[in-house]
Amino acid sequence: MAVAETTRRQRLSEFWSDFAQSRVAVVALAVILVLLFLAFACEWVAPQDPYDLRNLDWLDAFLPPGTVGSGGYVHVLGTDNVGRDMLSAVLYGLRTSFIIGLSAGALALTAGIAVGLTAAYFGGRLEAVLMRVVDLQLSMPAILMALVLVALLGSGVGQIVLALVVAQYAYFARTTHGAATVERRKDYIEAARSTPLPTYRVLFRHLLPNVMPPLIVVATVQVAAAIALEATLSFLGVGLPLTEPSLGSLISNGFRYIHTDRTWLSLYPGFALMITVVAINLVGDQVRTVLDPRQGL
Amino acid sequence: MIAFILQRLMQSVLVVFAMSVIVFVGVYAIGNPIDVLIDPGATQSIRDALIERYGLDQPLWRQYFTFVTNVAQGDLGRSMVYNVPVTSLIFSRLPATLELVFVAMFLATALGVPLGIWAGYKPDSFSSKAIMALSILGFSVPTFWIGMLLIMGFAVNLGWLPSGGRGLVAEFLGFRTSLTSAEGWSHVLLPAINLSLFKMGLMIRLTRAGMVEAMRADYVKFARAQGLSEREVVFGHVLRNISIPIVTVFGLELGSTLAFAVVTESVFNWPGVGKLIIDSILQLDRPVMVSYLVMVVILFVLINLVVDIVYARLDPRVRLKGEE
């Protein structure tokens, strides 16, 4: 156990020193951590609870950034058309986006692993059918899948997460299947299968850890994609309503004022979204380079 | 080979059938379009008349049966909102979308491939790293947000280009297109750039990856040893070898660009099929939704089928595996 512990720690520190080769990726990681902290501490950091209608005052509507409103504090990012403090709205929106992105990513990962491992391990007709469905789904753009599903399921956080999972699990399933088919032919799996170990133990303790590295890369990219997709759906009007502001619905609301000089309504939530998504992708890119040096070339 | 094609064809038919059932049941199970379409103050007899006219009182399987029979005859139903046949509605919007998609794909290829060649030829130079950073941006930043930035920058602040709509449309070779006038182009440019950025990122990455791998290949060494100029090596030998995957992806991406147009068309108020489908989703216009989705499914299944057959033709291993 102690030996395993040290090698694990060693591997982690090796990974980190490889990762830190790219200064851009380190900065991106720091940005993500700060955004995560701000988003999940929004109840304490934000000057106002944008969900609470009692806080909103029509007199505060459309205050430009830096104005002091009726609450007696500075609206750093201005206020929107109903007098909502934009900084608070962005922070709460960021939290919604992170919650949706992370839970969709985690669930899609689980579902994808289940499908991919099942297909690779049992093979035969089951494998053919499962992977055919996965391939077909992969050939369809995720935005279209998600759009259709949300149109069918209705809007709300739960429905959006479900739609994203259905639209995204295929990426994980394909990656798991690919990696697992290669691993399955190796001797250690043969050895494990020849012992009386139950199938699930071979799958989860022997096979799964060895297919994890490519999945981690896919997971980072897919969390960013989920956040972007949710924002897109909300922007198109089929995602979350403005009473439950995500970054997408905030931008959508600001879009109505794009021809006026009240651009802060859309610019700030938009930049928050862009920075989040790009930072996650930059980290994912570097993780890919570290875990698979051939692709990084 | 024929067995392989037949087998894939059967699979495709099955998939189309399964998807049409799923889409139909899903779409017809949400909400009650009667409430949306009919004025709440309407009398019961008007309501009944409309319900009967749209066949909404029939059981689901019957509605589906009617739907399939009609589709087989090329009749996709009538839009509940516009009260015109869905087929003519979709086909009247299609030229606008196709025009946008082709300009976008042209931009993505015409800019993406040269940038990718350069980034793969000199992978360590600063300019190559800048190109790769650009491709990450194109890849990851949501399309609608870039579209808004383009509007804010070029339409609202600079006032160079219009912020939306299609502008002047003229008849050209039987198509109604806006590409024949400068005013039309000014309307196409921003949405086309918006739609092309994602594909451009893809083209850059694909070309660069092919380039990096090809530059290490033996034939490049021999070509150089032969005394060919770098120009001849890259354009005469390398480009020829990496163009097959680029062409394949170009074909595959045409379909997905059509789908991505949904977002761009909404941002730029472009009167294409994408805008139509969003509007029909928001207005619960079920015949339009169902028909569009079935058409998209058929399109993607067809693309998959063609790709499978082409690959099987090129690579006998695929074919043999299918015939097992």
Side-chain angles (χ1 to χ4, degrees):
Chain A
M1 196 62 206
V3 177
E5 198 59 29
T6 31
T7 51
R8 183 170 297 174
R9 212 173 282 167
Q10 236 168 28
R11 254 193 254 161
L12 262 179
S13 74
E14 243 171 60
F15 177 81
W16 172 250
S17 71
D18 282 345
F19 182 85
Q21 297 268 315
S22 160
R23 236 177 280 159
V24 178
V26 175
V27 173
L29 184 64
V31 168
I32 295 173
L33 292 177
V34 170
L35 288 176
L36 270 174
F37 171 77
L38 286 176
F40 285 98
C42 63
E43 281 170 43
W44 299 279
V45 183
Q48 179 196 76
D49 178 359
Y51 288 106
D52 192 349
L53 295 175
R54 283 171 304 176
N55 288 339
L56 307 180
D57 190 335
W58 287 95
L59 293 175
D60 287 333
F62 294 123
L63 294 179
T67 332
V68 180
S70 63
Y73 55 87
V74 182
H75 295 289
V76 184
L77 303 183
T79 61
D80 71 359
N81 50 321
V82 292
R84 196 181 277 127
D85 176 53
M86 280 311 289
L87 176 63
S88 313
V90 167
L91 291 177
Y92 275 78
L94 200 57
R95 182 174 70 171
T96 314
S97 293
F98 271 130
I99 290 175
I100 290 178
L102 291 172
S103 41
L107 290 172
L109 176 71
T110 319
I113 287 177
V115 172
L117 276 188
T118 313
Y121 195 81
F122 295 103
R125 184 149 282 199
L126 185 67
E127 179 180 30
V129 172
L130 284 178
M131 293 328 285
R132 202 69 200 149
V133 173
V134 165
D135 279 345
L136 189 79
Q137 269 199 275
L138 280 179
S139 74
M140 302 240 219
I143 175 76
L144 205 67
M145 291 285 306
L147 192 65
V148 172
L149 287 163
V150 171
L152 298 183
L153 300 168
S155 51
V157 175
Q159 285 92 326
I160 291 211
V161 170
L162 183 60
L164 293 176
V165 171
V166 177
Q168 294 189 311
Y169 87 95
Y171 296 92
F172 294 102
R174 170 86 3 261
T175 313
T176 311
H177 178 255
T181 352
V182 175
E183 291 297 321
R184 204 178 68 112
R185 290 197 208 101
K186 292 190 181 164
D187 288 342
Y188 74 93
I189 296 293
E190 278 305 313
R193 287 176 84 179
S194 61
T195 62
L197 285 174
T199 309
Y200 75 87
R201 214 185 137 85
V202 179
L203 278 177
F204 292 108
R205 298 289 301 211
H206 296 256
L207 194 52
L208 187 57
N210 289 297
V211 301
M212 268 328 259
L215 282 174
I216 294 169
V217 178
V218 178
T220 11
V221 178
Q222 288 303 317
V223 167
I227 292 176
L229 270 178
E230 180 276 319
T232 307
L233 293 174
S234 296
F235 175 80
L236 292 173
V238 292
L240 293 176
L242 196 58
T243 47
E244 221 172 322
S246 76
L247 292 176
S249 41
L250 288 173
I251 300 169
S252 176
N253 183 49
F255 185 54
R256 293 187 287 157
Y257 303 97
I258 193 172
H259 290 280
T260 67
D261 51 4
R262 290 156 177 168
T263 43
W264 65 86
L265 264 74
S266 50
L267 273 182
Y268 295 120
F271 279 124
L273 172 69
M274 184 163 90
I275 292 167
T276 310
V277 173
V278 172
I280 299 177
N281 269 299
L282 286 172
V283 169
D285 220 45
Q286 178 66 3
V287 173
R288 188 202 315 268
T289 314
V290 173
L291 291 181
D292 185 0
R294 267 173 312 142
Q295 286 208 10
L297 280 172
Chain B
M1 189 66 193
I2 291 174
F4 175 81
I5 293 178
L6 277 180
Q7 183 205 6
R8 280 291 137 97
L9 208 60
M10 281 297 295
Q11 277 183 0
S12 304
V13 172
L14 261 177
V15 168
V16 171
F17 173 71
M19 289 297 282
S20 78
V21 173
I22 294 172
V23 166
F24 182 86
V25 171
V27 171
Y28 276 66
I30 47 161
N32 186 355
I34 303 167
D35 298 338
V36 183
L37 287 162
I38 304 172
D39 175 19
T43 62
Q44 192 58 41
S45 61
I46 295 180
R47 288 178 71 95
D48 290 343
L50 283 169
I51 288 172
E52 206 190 315
R53 187 167 140 213
Y54 292 127
L56 296 171
D57 52 344
Q58 307 283 339
L60 265 185
W61 66 268
R62 233 211 143 84
Q63 291 188 35
Y64 177 75
F65 189 72
T66 321
F67 171 74
V68 171
T69 327
N70 289 339
V71 168
Q73 294 164 353
D75 175 11
L76 292 165
R78 289 181 85 82
S79 159
M80 293 176 170
V81 175
Y82 299 96
N83 199 24
V84 291
V86 171
T87 344
S88 64
L89 191 62
I90 289 181
F91 279 106
S92 73
R93 300 289 199 99
L94 205 55
T97 299
L98 288 179
E99 175 181 303
L100 188 62
V101 165
F102 279 116
V103 177
M105 284 306 281
F106 173 75
L107 284 177
T109 317
L111 293 172
V113 172
L115 287 175
I117 290 179
W118 177 253
Y121 183 65
K122 289 221 162 14
D124 293 320
S125 71
F126 177 76
S127 54
S128 298
K129 287 193 172 137
I131 292 172
M132 290 316 283
L134 189 83
S135 85
I136 290 188
L137 280 183
F139 242 35
S140 50
V141 182
T143 308
F144 77 94
W145 170 242
I146 297 186
M148 281 178 67
L149 286 181
L150 287 173
I151 293 180
M152 281 192 209
F154 292 100
V156 179
N157 275 339
L158 295 172
W160 289 352
L161 294 164
S163 67
R166 197 171 171 210
L168 204 65
V169 178
E171 191 97 11
F172 180 72
L173 297 177
F175 279 104
R176 294 186 62 73
T177 171
S178 51
L179 299 181
T180 46
S181 66
E183 203 248 332
W185 269 99
S186 74
H187 279 88
V188 178
L189 208 55
L190 280 188
I193 290 174
N194 184 214
L195 189 56
S196 74
L197 285 178
F198 186 89
K199 302 296 160 195
M200 201 185 296
L202 192 69
M203 283 292 173
I204 291 176
R205 302 212 129 199
L206 196 71
T207 314
R208 176 182 178 273
M211 217 33 214
V212 169
E213 201 161 314
M215 291 307 284
R216 277 178 299 182
D218 284 339
Y219 68 83
V220 170
K221 280 183 207 146
F222 284 118
R224 280 182 174 151
Q226 225 178 3
L228 294 181
S229 71
E230 282 299 285
R231 218 188 140 86
E232 285 165 321
V233 171
V234 171
F235 290 100
H237 291 264
V238 175
L239 194 57
R240 202 176 282 182
N241 276 291
I242 63 172
S243 59
I244 295 167
I246 295 176
V247 172
T248 315
V249 169
F250 180 90
L252 281 176
E253 291 300 314
L254 262 182
S256 83
T257 315
L258 273 172
F260 266 98
V262 170
V263 178
T264 299
E265 286 179 7
S266 299
V267 177
F268 288 91
N269 208 10
W270 187 263
V273 185
K275 184 91 175 59
L276 179 70
I277 180 69
I278 288 291
D279 291 344
S280 75
I281 287 176
L282 295 177
Q283 295 165 326
L284 288 182
D285 195 351
R286 298 193 297 187
V288 179
M289 282 168 71
V290 174
S291 320
Y292 175 79
L293 292 175
V294 170
M295 281 167 77
V296 167
V297 169
I298 293 176
L299 177 75
F300 277 100
V301 169
L302 272 183
I303 292 178
N304 265 346
L305 185 68
V306 171
V307 170
D308 275 348
I309 292 174
V310 171
Y311 278 166
R313 188 92 203 97
L314 294 176
D315 188 348
R317 279 173 300 177
V318 178
R319 192 159 68 226
L320 291 175
K321 205 178 151 205
E323 277 167 4
E324 250 171 15

